[in-house]
Amino acid sequence: MSTRKPLIAANWKMYKTPAQSKEFVAAFLPLVHGHTRDEIVLCPPFVDIVAVVATTHGSKIHVGGQNMHWQEEGAFTGEISAGMLAAAGCTHVILGHSERRQLFGETDDTVNQKLHNALKHKLVPIVCVGELLAERGAGKTEEVLLRQVARALVNVAPDLARHIVIAYEPVWAIGTGKTATPEMAAEAHLIIRSQVARSLGREIADNMRILYGGSVKPENATTLLNQPEIDGALVGGASLDAQSFAKIVQYTLF
Ligand code: PGA
């Protein structure tokens, strides 16, 4: 039995105003009251963070950013630093989401730099990796995952690495309604864990949480989350509705 505490994170992407995020929290908190089995994290847009931190105060819900810059501060118009996220009450941050990689020029190197700065500010980084459909079709899934994980972890000190979370998000499964089969996800997670072991040592790899993301819904959460290699979920679309996200959090553990 794994001692890895499952983590279920909501990635709201560019949805919800501060008022809408407060409505979500008001509806969601009673639904998950007393739920301690899983770590629950809400990752709202930056402008909602203060509202979500305030309205979840005193609960077990954590709040995370969806992205950050790798520098401490500076002339970087439109960017947010790790220190700002932490000061606003965030405990987690998503790094290297495939939408950032594909649409906003995020690279393996910027993910690595961001990871270093997130760890410096004691944020729990949720590092996203995953292959494109064409890469899977060309038999390159393993190569892509090994490269993304290895490059993300360059020069990370093992004593800081314990907090890192990795999310396996096959790009073809994000927002498409297609999910990796539990077997595909389990295989990818083993590949990821093997690279973590090479980069940081077996003990850290065995304790690192590896989440699955890509069209997780209340209907498939139980099957996916019962895979021994899957330590939680990063949920986009189905996390926008309080009832739906609460159902995912309350998956049945067999
Ligand atoms: P999805 O998004 O659940 O809507 O597929 C997941 C993600 O992008 O993290």
Side-chain angles (χ1 to χ4, degrees), residues 12 21-22 25 42 44 48-57 62-63:
W12 286 354
S21 71
K22 284 188 205 161
V25 173
L42 301 178
D48 299 347
I49 286 172
V50 169
V52 175
V53 167
T55 48
T56 55
H57 186 75
H62 299 270
V63 183

Side-chain angles (χ1 to χ4, degrees), residues 22-173:
K22 284 188 205 161
E23 279 168 30
F24 177 100
V25 173
F28 183 64
L29 281 186
L31 299 174
V32 295
H33 181 75
H35 185 100
T36 53
R37 178 189 62 187
D38 310 87
E39 190 170 314
I40 305 172
V41 186
L42 301 178
C43 302
F46 293 135
V47 293
D48 299 347
I49 286 172
V50 169
V52 175
V53 167
T55 48
T56 55
H57 186 75
S59 77
K60 296 232 179 301
I61 314 281
H62 299 270
V63 183
Q66 296 176 13
N67 180 34
M68 51 169 266
H69 197 272
W70 58 88
Q71 296 275 9
E72 283 299 306
E73 61 182 6
F76 301 108
T77 301
E79 294 290 328
I80 296 274
S81 72
M84 291 171 189
L85 289 177
C90 287
T91 48
H92 294 64
V93 63
I94 298 171
L95 298 178
H97 189 279
S98 63
E99 286 150 16
R100 303 289 328 162
R101 292 180 192 255
Q102 288 192 288
L103 306 172
F104 302 101
E106 186 90 82
T107 65
D108 291 332
D109 287 336
T110 55
V111 172
N112 173 252
Q113 291 180 61
K114 291 177 180 193
L115 179 61
H116 280 278
N117 204 257
L119 291 172
K120 184 173 167 198
H121 287 274
K122 301 203 163 31
L123 294 170
V124 176
I126 303 175
V127 180
C128 301
V129 297
E131 79 286 0
L132 304 168
L133 187 58
E135 291 166 336
R136 178 164 282 272
K140 292 195 167 155
T141 300
E142 179 165 4
E143 180 189 324
V144 170
L145 295 178
L146 293 176
R147 187 201 77 228
Q148 289 179 335
V149 174
R151 300 269 300 268
L153 297 177
V154 168
N155 288 332
V156 170
D159 57 324
L160 290 177
R162 293 182 190 284
H163 307 295
I164 298 171
V165 175
I166 294 181
Y168 169 58
E169 297 208 308
V171 178
W172 47 271

Side-chain angles (χ1 to χ4, degrees), residues 204-227:
I204 287 181
D206 285 342
N207 288 307
M208 189 169 287
R209 290 174 296 177
I210 304 180
L211 318 182
Y212 170 78
S215 298
V216 176
K217 309 257 178 278
E219 302 78 54
N220 59 24
T222 290
T223 313
L224 287 162
L225 289 160
N226 273 285
Q227 294 295 311

